[in-house]
Amino acid sequence: MISRERILEAAGRVYAKHGFRGATTRLIAIEAGVNEVTLFRTFGSKSALIDAVLMQQAVSKPALELPATPIDPAAELTPWVQMNLERVREIRPLLVHSMGEIDERPEAAEFACRGRQMVHECITRYVRALQDNGMADAETDADTAAVMLVGTVMSDAIARSFVPAVYPPLDEAAERYTTAFLRMLGVKKVVST
Amino acid sequence: MISRERILEAAGRVYAKHGFRGATTRLIAIEAGVNEVTLFRTFGSKSALIDAVLMQQAVSKPALELPATPIDPAAELTPWVQMNLERVREIRPLLVHSMGEIDERPEAAEFACRGRQMVHECITRYVRALQDNGMADAETDADTAAVMLVGTVMSDAIARSFVPAVYPPLDEAAERYTTAFLRMLGVKKVVST
DNA sequence: TCGGCAAGCAAGTAGGTACTTGCATACCCA
DNA sequence: TGGGTATGCAAGTACCTACTTGCTTGCCGA
């Protein structure tokens, strides 16, 4: 049963590189250092194997939380944005391929959507809390701001690798996005608490 | 020479659905209502055909311009954002597939990047003009705001189809994004000019 | 010491893939 | 009227694909 994990990891790497059609059972077997037959005996079919890969990825994320009651928004949001940037960057090839394959393999949809949904709920809750606590302008369009922050994170994490020129430097991105986001919401800087 | 265009269009549709590997020459030929051999006689190879498809797409865009000297930012930006949303939505499947195939087929990279680059330059020029004219706060991070607007547009156009719940209604999106963007820049509303 | 189980190996099946070749038709322009 | 040019059709090549079958090997626990 050691080979099960080896195959899953190998399949993940190969799928990330080549997508479903390009991830041949032969390639995966070689990458896993395993006989091709073992792959069928363990997972039944190539589709089942790839599904298992995506399923595992979707489950293995412990969800990045934000405090229920905000205190220092910039200090709380910046690392959250940073972490989300890194996470999406990690799974970028998987994400892009499964997005392209949604029509042909609807099973890929859940993987492509789940993370996005969760992040959206998290940030939306947070901005609501900001408004309720009077730390953000009550009349601003908080939902839109949240959508824009998450959209920015996705766009950066996915597109930076092939259009690097347009994005802020890697080590400044999270802070800049956060600052601009808080500006949108009309949040004042916290000097000391 | 009529078939050349027919093949190009058909190849575009099939590629959009199935990606490079899934867009078989047989499928394309059937979709074009043309003999498979004609396809090879006209383009030489499948790769050359798909390259031609992407090349044509990349060239056929006349670039959406913004005024060199802003007068009413909201009125100028909203339709621009709307148009860009629609454009990216149109080529979404093409974009997603070519993004996934960049590693394997670097020729796809130009198509995936070109539009993004141009839009970025356009909006950056515009916000600079806003700042120069004193219509936007001079000390705000205009570049980051521009990146966020474009990132939002890309994210909406690409992800709305499979995570519709998180995005603002279709007919309000452009206006909301524009409003939030102008807020980020500290642009006051123009009442009448 | 033996039985079961995971895995490897070699070979095969049935189908799909890009691409080629040779030949038959049309059609248009000179 | 004749020749080039675009296209169709049938067949074939060489290779890749997922997946199967039958047999062998090695390990592990009773």
Side-chain angles (χ1 to χ4, degrees), chain B residues 145-177:
Chain B
V147 167
M148 290 183 76
L149 180 64
V150 180
T152 302
V153 168
M154 300 292 288
S155 159
D156 181 316
I158 290 176
R160 176 189 291 270
S161 55
F162 45 86
V163 205
V166 310
Y167 292 96
L170 249 185
D171 54 332
E172 294 180 16
E175 199 183 341
R176 291 209 195 176
Y177 296 152

Side-chain angles (χ1 to χ4, degrees), chain A residues 107-160:
Chain A
E107 315 86 279
E110 209 211 324
F111 171 72
C113 305
R114 188 196 176 101
R116 169 73 210 241
Q117 193 86 30
M118 282 167 47
V119 170
H120 176 77
E121 282 162 21
C122 185
I123 187 70
T124 301
R125 232 179 292 127
Y126 188 78
V127 293
R128 290 266 157 72
L130 278 176
Q131 288 186 318
D132 292 347
N133 293 13
M135 300 173 78
D137 293 352
E139 81 276 6
T140 53
D141 190 346
D143 281 343
T144 299
V147 167
M148 290 183 75
L149 181 63
V150 181
T152 302
V153 168
M154 300 292 287
S155 159
D156 182 316
I158 289 176
R160 176 189 291 269

Side-chain angles (χ1 to χ4, degrees), chain B residues 56-103:
Chain B
Q56 186 195 245
Q57 280 285 341
V59 173
S60 72
K61 297 181 184 179
L64 296 171
E65 295 291 348
L66 279 169
T69 56
I71 295 170
D72 183 342
E76 288 153 6
L77 273 172
T78 304
W80 184 83
V81 169
Q82 177 71 30
M83 290 287 292
N84 274 294
L85 275 169
E86 285 168 17
R87 274 204 185 180
V88 181
R89 240 173 247 139
E90 264 176 40
I91 60 164
R92 176 183 65 93
L94 248 59
L95 247 183
V96 173
H97 279 125
S98 57
M99 272 166 45
E101 290 159 6
I102 282 188
D103 293 347

